[in-house]
Amino acid sequence: MSAVWGNKIKITIFGESHSEAIGIVIDNLPAGATLDMDEIKREMARRAPNGGEFSTPRKEGDEVEIVSGYFDGKTTGTPLCGIIRNTNTRSKDYSMFKVVFRPGHSDYGYFLKSGGNNDYRGGGHSSGRLTAPIVFCGAVCKQLLREKGVKVGSHIMSIADIKDGMFGVDIDGDKLENLTKEVFPLLDKNKFEPMRKIIADARNEGDSVGGTIECAVTGLQGGIGEPFFESVESRLASLLFSVPAVKGVQFGKGYELSKMKGSQANDPFEFKDGNVVTKTNNNGGILGGISTGMPIVFNVAIKPTASIFKEQNSVNINSKENTKLKIQGRHDSCIVVRAVPVIEAVAAIAIYDFLR
Amino acid sequence: MSAVWGNKIKITIFGESHSEAIGIVIDNLPAGATLDMDEIKREMARRAPNGGEFSTPRKEGDEVEIVSGYFDGKTTGTPLCGIIRNTNTRSKDYSMFKVVFRPGHSDYGYFLKSGGNNDYRGGGHSSGRLTAPIVFCGAVCKQLLREKGVKVGSHIMSIADIKDGMFGVDIDGDKLENLTKEVFPLLDKNKFEPMRKIIADARNEGDSVGGTIECAVTGLQGGIGEPFFESVESRLASLLFSVPAVKGVQFGKGYELSKMKGSQANDPFEFKDGNVVTKTNNNGGILGGISTGMPIVFNVAIKPTASIFKEQNSVNINSKENTKLKIQGRHDSCIVVRAVPVIEAVAAIAIYDFLR
Amino acid sequence: MSAVWGNKIKITIFGESHSEAIGIVIDNLPAGATLDMDEIKREMARRAPNGGEFSTPRKEGDEVEIVSGYFDGKTTGTPLCGIIRNTNTRSKDYSMFKVVFRPGHSDYGYFLKSGGNNDYRGGGHSSGRLTAPIVFCGAVCKQLLREKGVKVGSHIMSIADIKDGMFGVDIDGDKLENLTKEVFPLLDKNKFEPMRKIIADARNEGDSVGGTIECAVTGLQGGIGEPFFESVESRLASLLFSVPAVKGVQFGKGYELSKMKGSQANDPFEFKDGNVVTKTNNNGGILGGISTGMPIVFNVAIKPTASIFKEQNSVNINSKENTKLKIQGRHDSCIVVRAVPVIEAVAAIAIYDFLR
Amino acid sequence: MSAVWGNKIKITIFGESHSEAIGIVIDNLPAGATLDMDEIKREMARRAPNGGEFSTPRKEGDEVEIVSGYFDGKTTGTPLCGIIRNTNTRSKDYSMFKVVFRPGHSDYGYFLKSGGNNDYRGGGHSSGRLTAPIVFCGAVCKQLLREKGVKVGSHIMSIADIKDGMFGVDIDGDKLENLTKEVFPLLDKNKFEPMRKIIADARNEGDSVGGTIECAVTGLQGGIGEPFFESVESRLASLLFSVPAVKGVQFGKGYELSKMKGSQANDPFEFKDGNVVTKTNNNGGILGGISTGMPIVFNVAIKPTASIFKEQNSVNINSKENTKLKIQGRHDSCIVVRAVPVIEAVAAIAIYDFLR
């Protein structure tokens, strides 16, 4: 397993859905930074299940205890460890998944990796719950980025086949931060009702839907990125694909670029107020793996929640027989909404790792 | 700059388009492996410009000299360094790009990173030429993977808006290896002519087109992948986004998954000949970042060649003025064809790094 | 700061002497290993201050709570996090060291690194207390090593100028493990009384003494070690020099080798019971950075405890004046005894990282 | 094998004694630095065998060809690769060492690691010849350090049992640099004749002698070093123990500290010309793993050359029998003199890695 990520900062994640605790150690933060604990709580609340319409009925406190690296209201520069106790867990729900693997989940993979010694309760280490420490870390990085003039925000770009718009070349940081205050961030608010309905319909059917999230980072200077192997895209993608359920990543216009001609795809340079900018931003603020000074723009595909309440085909690894399985319990019928702060968090972490 | 990649093996790349040489050091290969030098040459030839229809008119020998780590016809387990001399270079073509940045290229980024000390000739370190040592390394990894029963192959999934099909759940290794023997690998050969034409048209207009490549890896056992941060997707994506011009990566059905319901997207498990398989492979052989034993399937978006022969808008960083620029020289109007072996190479490297 | 170490396993340490907690995350342990919790407690007790003759009068419980990576009495292979709460702390003792730096301590260095934002209480992150999670991790690694036939042990080689003997070429694993059961491990028990006395004398004078520790690892197969840069010596030394107060490391005969002739220093190979061994072991079981199959033998120099109760010269960084300082509180007059399990722990960690 | 080292810079070494070439890739150098090629040549010449009194009779050109990362007389910031061709090699000398292992050498270890596929000629990858690219890299780092006011130098502290003095607290950078201009650097020149004689005697006997080297780094600001795991000592030691024949490392007074009382060992702080200094420098400029601003001082033990011309006992791994072996060829009877620039080089590399 590889629980450590980062070059300038190093983050180490730990925990399972039903272990005593989950948490994260953030190494090499600057000393002397005051963290806004209220903002951290708000970010945690965006991700936490709250029993609301777009969330599982179970509630998780997700209170982070900082046990090191913070003294007299400031970071000390030594490893900052944040711990979240697991409290509201119902382990009995999961016992059968030890031998009957849930389709779309990692149960089988962990079974193979661990020789059957994995903590199968609630998805164990691959539970979406592990994104809680990621959001905590992202909240820390967002604060440190803001001091450097860098802001991060995102919107739901689609739910199932219902599309919101896309960020324009003129996206600005304040607008991004406003989006982070919304429960269901959209560019076109008219899309809320149809999206809400398609999620509700899936829930009523015992099924689930996926979607896409577009995220932007403004204020990032040009010249950031470390090719050959650590392009801005590589670093962002490596973290984005660590987030459960992410199955695709595009930068700028992404796959649309593959259909354009070079004369359309190339973003022409020009001077604007004495600065070099590009007239369009098809490449999402990154050329040759290096930032251009334009907003970093990317989007991700989130697959539908793997936990559905319909009967599914699976195998019983003990009896070596095919079997049927029906998942009980409490699960989101669409995780896209709660994934929004997670995507922003990993964007903030990846970008801050370049700038630290 | 970050020229080193890998966990179990470590690869270190060096060189610029017009420096004395380019090359790669591959650390921690197994000792005692005989390399098939003819296969290495064939792989190099797939990528090398050959003056043919789908390539720049310039020719590059791309002969790899192995200077270390290989003795008596076998690897020694010490770092294997392969060097490719740069010979057919016309440096005068590039002098103006020191101060006038080519749209779609990394000139501006390298200018910022290096304070104007970058080797601007031919794209310098970000030249597509740097993919030659990657293909060499990929050829080594492909051979080592084959001994483990793992095979890699790919096809052109689209050029501009003309689509080939997609790999089915039944893709097998021999078929993949056959694809690697074709200049223009397609599932549906009827697509060759329209694709050829759209590339020729772009060339005639002084413009360029992009496309997509789908790649598969068969024979990879289940249980491979190291979440939280080093999922199979994360490692593959981190290398894929190091390849110049890649702007999007999807695993399995990728963005299509975001439009499916969970009941459609989940791949049901079943026993087949005593093995656990999935009936469909929407998730591209990866669940929770871990291989399932099904073929690994992904595709990438390649943007159109940034070097076009039409006049473009740009800036002169010395005079601080907007300007026009027209690229001369020798460039592919569609790099997708030559990118195919590169995508396979990075897939082979990423997968081998897990298995070594 | 760099709180992460390791290649195959990765360990991440966190905490300060007086923060809420200290701890360690151990990544990539094998799944399915049962940990002997009693052995872990014994190892922790060897290091913990116990109010005894060779220890500070303060007592620390040093109880490790494993919060992740352990399920149903076995490791799961996911990150195992052990946390130790800081309880018996008297923060008021330390307030003056924020501006007046203790000679021999890292106060000044941390002041510079953090711009004065360091947690100066009890040495903060550089406190000897941070060796508690190291001993925990070492206890885990010792158990995993024992399953591979590898054993670790050590003895006090000297206190001040009173010398014990040195390990012979015939050192065996059982003897090493017996040494770990002694409070004051010596090869020659006659040295105990004079050593005890010199420590007591230093304590009575308000002064301190140092010493040396010799450690051995038996059962390690030949061929382990990864030159050029990760020789067995490099990896061991890198961890040993992370232990506070270690100022020298020698392998085998170390500095004595520099006075020998080649014909004396070279360990001749011979067959013994069908195995290749060396008749002598001057090189401490390592040649060219690679294990030979002979016991790994090394020793370390531990400087005298920096905290003494005599008046010392120092500076006040606020007033920019020279000043006197006198340390109060509770400190060991000789840390060598409590350092023994720490040295064994880092040896176990470094060797296990090669073998995992 | 682990051929890559470094955090901020990354160096990758390759080559064997008799392979086509040896070399090093230096990643993440700053752009825009002009390298003094004459100084690089001088440093290379210090290490190169020159047929002189303190060297093997074979001569090596050791000319470095920089093939990348250097353009228009300046570094570009991309990976700088330096290659040294192997020319004066007599491979026939070594064929018998494939199965009969030389005592004191790594032949047996590499045999085990590679399953007998190692390049046994001239020590292969573990040859002292691999220190040539290290000296090249050190020469680059020395130049970059000098621009930051940091200087590196050393002297021969002992040959066999004949001792030179030790650096005092007042060592300065100019004195260090003057030492680098001497073939046989000593603090006390009266020691030259007896040292020369003991080396000559060993040569005449077909034997060898070892020694120690003391090295200092001046001008390094306080606050450098990254505990917990990347203390200044840890990073220096990790590189120093990669140098063939190094068997011990001490910082400051090292093992002498273990015999001192705390009141003697602690270096008292004081203000001098407005700066915090310590009156003594027993700790070698490092406390708690962090630089204090005082000179970094350390010394290393070099074992006697393993290649001697006396008959030695060994084993034949093919016949499984004990045997005698007598080394022919050309070897230094004392490698300490040629090791001096190597020790300085790794010191420069380790310190520069912190400062880049």
Side-chain angles (χ1 to χ4, degrees):
Chain A
M1 312 303 289
S2 290
V4 182
W5 190 94
N7 290 317
K8 293 185 181 166
I9 59 168
K10 285 219 193 308
I11 60 177
T12 305
I13 198 168
F14 58 89
E16 284 90 33
S17 181
H18 290 58
S19 66
E20 290 302 310
I22 59 177
I24 198 163
V25 185
I26 318 175
D27 189 25
N28 206 35
L29 288 174
T34 293
L35 299 179
D36 180 337
M37 296 300 174
D38 289 334
E39 183 177 341
I40 289 172
K41 272 182 192 152
R42 279 195 303 273
E43 289 288 306
M44 296 303 288
R46 289 176 74 197
R47 192 215 69 91
N50 56 16
E53 184 169 11
F54 305 111
S55 174
T56 161
R58 78 179 179 281
K59 292 189 188 185
E60 294 166 1
D62 282 3
E63 202 167 324
V64 184
E65 182 194 15
I66 296 177
V67 300
S68 67
Y70 204 71
F71 173 56
D72 264 359
K74 285 179 185 160
T75 55
T76 58
T78 55
L80 188 147
C81 177
I83 290 174
I84 304 165
R85 292 275 158 187
N86 285 324
T87 49
N88 183 14
T89 52
R90 296 195 199 164
S91 296
K92 64 176 148 46
D93 289 342
Y94 297 97
S95 53
M96 75 168 295
F97 305 133
K98 186 173 182 178
V99 292
V100 178
F101 308 127
R102 295 169 299 167
H105 276 289
S106 64
D107 301 347
Y108 178 48
Y110 274 94
F111 173 86
L112 290 171
K113 287 190 80 63
S114 70
N117 290 294
N118 55 313
D119 184 348
Y120 51 79
R121 300 168 301 170
H125 190 57
S126 76
S127 165
R129 182 149 176 69
L130 267 285
T131 59
I134 294 289
V135 167
F136 164 66
C137 180
V140 171
C141 291
K142 276 184 176 180
Q143 296 184 22
L144 296 168
L145 284 173
R146 196 180 296 122
E147 287 172 26
K148 296 171 185 281
V150 177
K151 295 181 177 179
V152 181
S154 52
H155 69 104
I156 294 170
M157 193 169 81
S158 67
I159 296 289
D161 56 1
I162 303 169
K163 291 184 188 169
D164 192 24
M166 289 185 75
F167 285 133
V169 68
D170 60 339
I171 183 70
D172 72 78
D174 290 344
K175 191 168 173 186
L176 287 180
E177 294 212 322
N178 283 336
L179 283 168
T180 67
K181 290 169 190 153
E182 296 183 31
V183 173
F184 203 106
L186 290 168
L187 300 182
D188 174 359
K189 306 221 169 180
N190 294 323
K191 299 301 171 65
F192 174 69
E193 188 46 35
M195 286 181 176
R196 190 202 61 73
K197 184 171 183 310
I198 210 165
I199 295 172
D201 288 351
R203 185 188 308 110
N204 294 337
E205 295 168 25
D207 214 329
S208 63
V209 287
T212 60
I213 296 167
E214 189 182 39
C215 181
V217 180
T218 60
L220 181 65
Q221 70 204 80
I224 302 302
E226 303 293 337
F228 193 84
F229 291 115
E230 304 202 344
S231 67
V232 175
E233 288 115 326
S234 284
R235 296 303 283 168
L236 276 166
S238 112
L239 268 191
L240 289 165
F241 279 119
S242 298
V243 177
V246 170
K247 296 299 282 190
V249 173
Q250 301 178 67
F251 290 88
K253 293 282 183 287
Y255 277 77
E256 277 306 303
L257 285 168
S258 76
K259 301 177 192 166
M260 292 183 189
K261 295 206 167 159
S263 56
Q264 301 165 306
N266 285 350
D267 298 305
F269 290 107
E270 64 179 15
F271 276 103
K272 188 175 171 184
D273 307 330
N275 298 315
V276 174
V277 299
T278 59
K279 201 166 236 162
T280 51
N281 190 18
N282 296 324
N283 286 280
I286 311 167
L287 287 172
I290 304 173
S291 67
T292 63
M294 296 298 290
I296 304 295
V297 182
F298 65 89
N299 64 70
V300 299
I302 310 275
K303 70 176 188 176
T305 318
S307 289
I308 57 173
F309 302 106
K310 294 188 162 179
E311 190 177 74
Q312 298 181 85
N313 291 320
S314 186
V315 294
N316 182 313
I317 197 72
N318 270 4
S319 65
K320 308 279 179 200
E321 288 175 321
N322 292 335
T323 184
K324 304 278 183 187
L325 137 160
K326 207 167 165 189
I327 294 174
Q328 311 286 326
R330 306 159 296 171
H331 303 284
D332 299 355
S333 58
C334 180
I335 50 172
V336 177
V337 184
R338 287 175 57 209
V340 168
V342 179
I343 297 303
E344 292 174 16
V346 300
I349 294 167
I351 297 297
Y352 185 68
D353 189 46
F354 278 118
L355 294 185
R356 165 71 175 105
Chain B
M1 312 303 289
S2 290
V4 182
W5 189 93
N7 289 319
K8 293 186 182 164
I9 59 168
K10 285 218 191 309
I11 61 177
T12 305
I13 198 169
F14 58 89
E16 283 91 32
S17 181
H18 289 58
S19 66
E20 290 302 311
I22 59 178
I24 198 163
V25 185
I26 317 175
D27 189 24
N28 206 35
L29 287 174
T34 293
L35 299 179
D36 179 337
M37 296 300 172
D38 289 332
E39 183 177 343
I40 289 173
K41 273 181 192 153
R42 280 195 303 272
E43 288 289 305
M44 296 304 287
R46 289 176 73 197
R47 192 216 69 90
N50 55 15
E53 183 168 12
F54 306 110
S55 175
T56 160
R58 78 177 180 279
K59 292 189 186 183
E60 293 166 1
D62 282 3
E63 202 167 322
V64 184
E65 182 194 15
I66 296 177
V67 300
S68 67
Y70 203 70
F71 173 57
D72 263 0
K74 286 181 183 159
T75 55
T76 58
T78 56
L80 189 147
C81 177
I83 291 175
I84 305 165
R85 292 273 158 186
N86 286 323
T87 50
N88 182 15
T89 52
R90 296 194 199 166
S91 296
K92 63 176 150 49
D93 289 342
Y94 297 97
S95 54
M96 76 167 295
F97 305 134
K98 186 173 180 177
V99 292
V100 178
F101 307 128
R102 293 169 301 168
H105 276 289
S106 65
D107 302 347
Y108 178 49
Y110 274 93
F111 173 87
L112 290 172
K113 286 191 79 65
S114 69
N117 291 294
N118 56 313
D119 184 348
Y120 49 80
R121 300 169 301 170
H125 190 57
S126 77
S127 166
R129 183 150 175 68
L130 267 284
T131 58
I134 294 290
V135 168
F136 164 66
C137 180
V140 171
C141 291
K142 276 184 177 180
Q143 296 185 19
L144 297 167
L145 284 174
R146 195 180 297 124
E147 287 172 26
K148 295 171 186 282
V150 177
K151 297 182 176 179
V152 182
S154 51
H155 70 102
I156 294 171
M157 192 168 81
S158 66
I159 296 287
D161 57 1
I162 303 169
K163 291 184 187 168
D164 191 25
M166 288 184 76
F167 285 133
V169 70
D170 59 342
I171 183 69
D172 71 81
D174 291 343
K175 192 169 172 185
L176 288 180
E177 294 212 322
N178 283 337
L179 284 168
T180 67
K181 291 168 189 154
E182 297 184 30
V183 173
F184 203 107
L186 289 168
L187 300 182
D188 175 359
K189 305 220 169 180
N190 294 322
K191 299 302 171 64
F192 173 67
E193 187 46 36
M195 286 183 175
R196 191 202 61 73
K197 185 172 183 310
I198 211 165
I199 294 172
D201 288 351
R203 186 188 308 111
N204 294 337
E205 294 168 24
D207 213 329
S208 64
V209 287
T212 60
I213 296 167
E214 189 182 38
C215 181
V217 180
T218 59
L220 182 65
Q221 69 204 81
I224 302 301
E226 303 293 337
F228 193 83
F229 292 116
E230 304 202 344
S231 69
V232 175
E233 289 115 326
S234 284
R235 296 303 284 167
L236 275 166
S238 112
L239 267 191
L240 289 165
F241 281 118
S242 297
V243 177
V246 170
K247 296 299 281 188
V249 172
Q250 301 177 66
F251 291 88
K253 292 282 183 287
Y255 278 78
E256 276 306 304
L257 285 168
S258 75
K259 300 177 193 166
M260 293 183 188
K261 295 206 168 161
S263 56
Q264 302 165 304
N266 285 351
D267 299 306
F269 291 106
E270 63 180 14
F271 276 102
K272 189 175 170 183
D273 306 331
N275 299 314
V276 175
V277 300
T278 59
K279 201 165 235 163
T280 50
N281 190 17
N282 296 323
N283 287 280
I286 312 166
L287 286 173
I290 303 173
S291 67
T292 63
M294 296 298 290
I296 304 295
V297 183
F298 66 88
N299 64 72
V300 300
I302 310 275
K303 70 177 187 174
T305 317
S307 288
I308 57 173
F309 303 106
K310 295 188 161 178
E311 190 177 75
Q312 297 180 84
N313 290 320
S314 186
V315 294
N316 183 313
I317 197 72
N318 270 3
S319 66
K320 308 278 177 200
E321 287 174 322
N322 292 334
T323 183
K324 303 280 183 186
L325 137 159
K326 207 168 164 188
I327 294 175
Q328 311 286 326
R330 304 160 297 172
H331 303 284
D332 299 354
S333 58
C334 179
I335 49 171
V336 176
V337 185
R338 288 175 58 210
V340 169
V342 180
I343 297 304
E344 291 174 17
V346 301
I349 295 167
I351 296 298
Y352 184 68
D353 190 45
F354 279 118
L355 294 185
R356 164 71 174 107
Chain C
M1 312 304 289
S2 289
V4 182
W5 189 94
N7 289 319
K8 293 185 182 165
I9 59 168
K10 284 216 193 310
I11 59 177
T12 305
I13 198 168
F14 58 88
E16 284 91 32
S17 181
H18 289 58
S19 67
E20 289 303 311
I22 59 179
I24 197 161
V25 185
I26 317 175
D27 189 24
N28 205 35
L29 287 174
T34 294
L35 299 179
D36 180 338
M37 295 301 174
D38 289 333
E39 184 178 343
I40 289 173
K41 273 183 192 151
R42 280 195 303 273
E43 288 289 305
M44 297 303 287
R46 288 176 73 198
R47 193 216 68 90
N50 56 15
E53 183 168 11
F54 305 110
S55 175
T56 160
R58 76 177 181 280
K59 292 189 188 183
E60 295 165 1
D62 283 2
E63 202 168 323
V64 184
E65 182 194 15
I66 296 177
V67 301
S68 67
Y70 204 71
F71 172 57
D72 262 358
K74 286 181 184 159
T75 55
T76 58
T78 56
L80 188 148
C81 177
I83 292 174
I84 305 165
R85 292 274 159 188
N86 286 323
T87 49
N88 183 15
T89 52
R90 296 193 199 167
S91 295
K92 65 176 149 46
D93 289 342
Y94 296 96
S95 53
M96 76 167 295
F97 305 133
K98 186 173 180 177
V99 292
V100 178
F101 307 128
R102 295 169 301 168
H105 277 289
S106 64
D107 302 348
Y108 178 49
Y110 274 93
F111 174 86
L112 290 172
K113 286 192 81 63
S114 70
N117 290 295
N118 56 313
D119 184 348
Y120 51 80
R121 299 169 302 169
H125 190 57
S126 75
S127 165
R129 183 150 176 68
L130 267 284
T131 59
I134 294 289
V135 168
F136 164 66
C137 180
V140 171
C141 291
K142 276 183 177 180
Q143 296 185 19
L144 296 168
L145 284 174
R146 195 180 296 122
E147 287 172 26
K148 296 171 185 281
V150 177
K151 296 182 177 180
V152 182
S154 52
H155 70 103
I156 294 171
M157 191 169 81
S158 67
I159 297 288
D161 56 2
I162 302 169
K163 292 184 186 167
D164 192 24
M166 289 184 76
F167 284 133
V169 69
D170 58 340
I171 183 70
D172 71 80
D174 291 344
K175 193 169 171 186
L176 288 180
E177 294 212 323
N178 282 336
L179 283 168
T180 68
K181 290 167 190 156
E182 296 184 30
V183 174
F184 203 107
L186 289 168
L187 300 182
D188 175 359
K189 306 220 166 177
N190 294 322
K191 297 303 170 64
F192 173 67
E193 187 48 35
M195 286 182 176
R196 192 203 60 73
K197 185 172 183 309
I198 211 166
I199 295 171
D201 289 351
R203 185 189 308 111
N204 294 338
E205 294 168 26
D207 213 330
S208 64
V209 287
T212 60
I213 296 167
E214 190 182 38
C215 181
V217 180
T218 59
L220 182 64
Q221 69 204 82
I224 302 302
E226 303 293 336
F228 194 85
F229 292 116
E230 303 202 345
S231 67
V232 175
E233 289 115 325
S234 284
R235 296 304 284 167
L236 276 166
S238 113
L239 267 191
L240 289 165
F241 280 119
S242 297
V243 177
V246 170
K247 296 299 280 189
V249 172
Q250 301 177 67
F251 291 88
K253 292 283 183 286
Y255 278 78
E256 276 306 303
L257 285 169
S258 76
K259 299 177 192 165
M260 292 182 188
K261 294 204 168 162
S263 56
Q264 302 165 306
N266 285 351
D267 299 305
F269 291 106
E270 62 178 16
F271 276 102
K272 190 175 170 183
D273 306 330
N275 298 315
V276 175
V277 300
T278 60
K279 201 166 236 163
T280 51
N281 191 17
N282 295 323
N283 287 280
I286 311 167
L287 287 173
I290 303 173
S291 66
T292 63
M294 298 296 291
I296 304 294
V297 183
F298 66 87
N299 64 71
V300 299
I302 310 275
K303 70 176 188 175
T305 318
S307 289
I308 57 174
F309 303 106
K310 293 187 163 179
E311 189 176 76
Q312 298 181 85
N313 290 320
S314 187
V315 294
N316 182 312
I317 197 72
N318 271 3
S319 66
K320 308 279 178 199
E321 286 175 323
N322 292 334
T323 183
K324 304 280 185 187
L325 136 160
K326 208 167 164 189
I327 294 174
Q328 311 286 326
R330 304 159 297 171
H331 303 284
D332 299 354
S333 58
C334 179
I335 49 171
V336 176
V337 184
R338 288 176 57 211
V340 168
V342 180
I343 297 303
E344 291 174 17
V346 300
I349 295 167
I351 297 297
Y352 184 68
D353 189 45
F354 279 117
L355 295 185
R356 166 72 175 104
Chain D
M1 311 303 289
S2 289
V4 182
W5 189 95
N7 289 320
K8 293 186 182 165
I9 59 169
K10 284 217 193 309
I11 60 177
T12 305
I13 198 168
F14 58 89
E16 284 91 32
S17 181
H18 290 58
S19 66
E20 290 302 310
I22 58 177
I24 198 162
V25 184
I26 318 175
D27 188 24
N28 205 34
L29 288 174
T34 294
L35 299 179
D36 180 337
M37 296 299 174
D38 290 333
E39 183 176 343
I40 289 173
K41 273 182 191 152
R42 279 195 304 272
E43 288 289 305
M44 296 303 287
R46 289 176 73 198
R47 192 216 68 91
N50 56 17
E53 184 168 11
F54 305 111
S55 175
T56 160
R58 77 177 181 280
K59 292 189 187 183
E60 294 166 2
D62 282 3
E63 202 168 322
V64 184
E65 183 195 14
I66 297 178
V67 300
S68 67
Y70 204 70
F71 173 57
D72 263 359
K74 285 179 184 161
T75 56
T76 58
T78 56
L80 188 147
C81 177
I83 291 174
I84 304 165
R85 291 274 159 186
N86 285 325
T87 49
N88 182 14
T89 53
R90 295 194 200 168
S91 296
K92 65 178 148 48
D93 290 341
Y94 297 98
S95 53
M96 76 167 295
F97 306 134
K98 185 172 181 177
V99 292
V100 178
F101 307 128
R102 294 169 301 167
H105 276 289
S106 64
D107 302 347
Y108 179 48
Y110 275 93
F111 174 86
L112 291 172
K113 286 190 80 64
S114 71
N117 291 293
N118 55 314
D119 184 348
Y120 50 80
R121 300 168 302 170
H125 190 57
S126 77
S127 166
R129 183 150 176 69
L130 267 285
T131 58
I134 294 289
V135 168
F136 164 66
C137 180
V140 171
C141 291
K142 275 184 176 180
Q143 296 184 21
L144 296 167
L145 284 173
R146 196 180 295 122
E147 286 172 26
K148 295 171 185 282
V150 177
K151 295 180 178 180
V152 181
S154 52
H155 69 104
I156 294 170
M157 193 168 80
S158 67
I159 297 287
D161 56 1
I162 303 168
K163 292 184 187 169
D164 191 25
M166 289 184 76
F167 285 132
V169 69
D170 60 340
I171 183 68
D172 72 80
D174 291 344
K175 191 168 171 186
L176 287 180
E177 294 212 321
N178 283 336
L179 283 169
T180 68
K181 290 167 190 155
E182 297 184 29
V183 173
F184 203 107
L186 290 168
L187 300 182
D188 175 358
K189 307 220 168 180
N190 294 322
K191 298 302 171 65
F192 173 68
E193 188 46 36
M195 285 181 176
R196 190 202 61 73
K197 185 173 181 309
I198 211 165
I199 295 172
D201 289 351
R203 185 188 308 112
N204 294 338
E205 295 168 25
D207 213 329
S208 65
V209 287
T212 59
I213 297 167
E214 190 183 39
C215 181
V217 180
T218 60
L220 182 65
Q221 70 204 80
I224 302 301
E226 302 293 338
F228 193 85
F229 291 115
E230 303 201 346
S231 68
V232 175
E233 289 115 326
S234 284
R235 296 304 282 167
L236 276 165
S238 112
L239 268 191
L240 289 164
F241 279 118
S242 297
V243 177
V246 170
K247 295 298 283 188
V249 172
Q250 301 178 66
F251 290 88
K253 292 283 182 287
Y255 278 78
E256 276 305 303
L257 285 168
S258 76
K259 301 177 191 166
M260 294 183 188
K261 295 205 166 160
S263 55
Q264 301 165 306
N266 285 350
D267 299 305
F269 290 106
E270 64 179 14
F271 277 102
K272 189 174 170 183
D273 306 331
N275 298 316
V276 174
V277 299
T278 60
K279 200 167 237 163
T280 50
N281 191 17
N282 295 324
N283 288 280
I286 311 166
L287 287 172
I290 303 173
S291 67
T292 63
M294 297 298 290
I296 304 296
V297 183
F298 66 88
N299 64 71
V300 299
I302 310 275
K303 71 175 186 175
T305 318
S307 289
I308 57 173
F309 303 107
K310 294 188 162 178
E311 191 177 75
Q312 298 181 84
N313 290 319
S314 186
V315 294
N316 183 312
I317 197 73
N318 271 3
S319 65
K320 308 279 179 202
E321 287 175 321
N322 292 334
T323 184
K324 304 279 182 187
L325 137 160
K326 208 168 164 189
I327 295 174
Q328 312 285 325
R330 304 160 297 172
H331 302 285
D332 299 355
S333 58
C334 179
I335 48 171
V336 177
V337 184
R338 288 175 58 209
V340 168
V342 179
I343 298 303
E344 291 174 17
V346 299
I349 294 167
I351 297 297
Y352 184 68
D353 190 45
F354 278 118
L355 294 185
R356 165 71 174 108

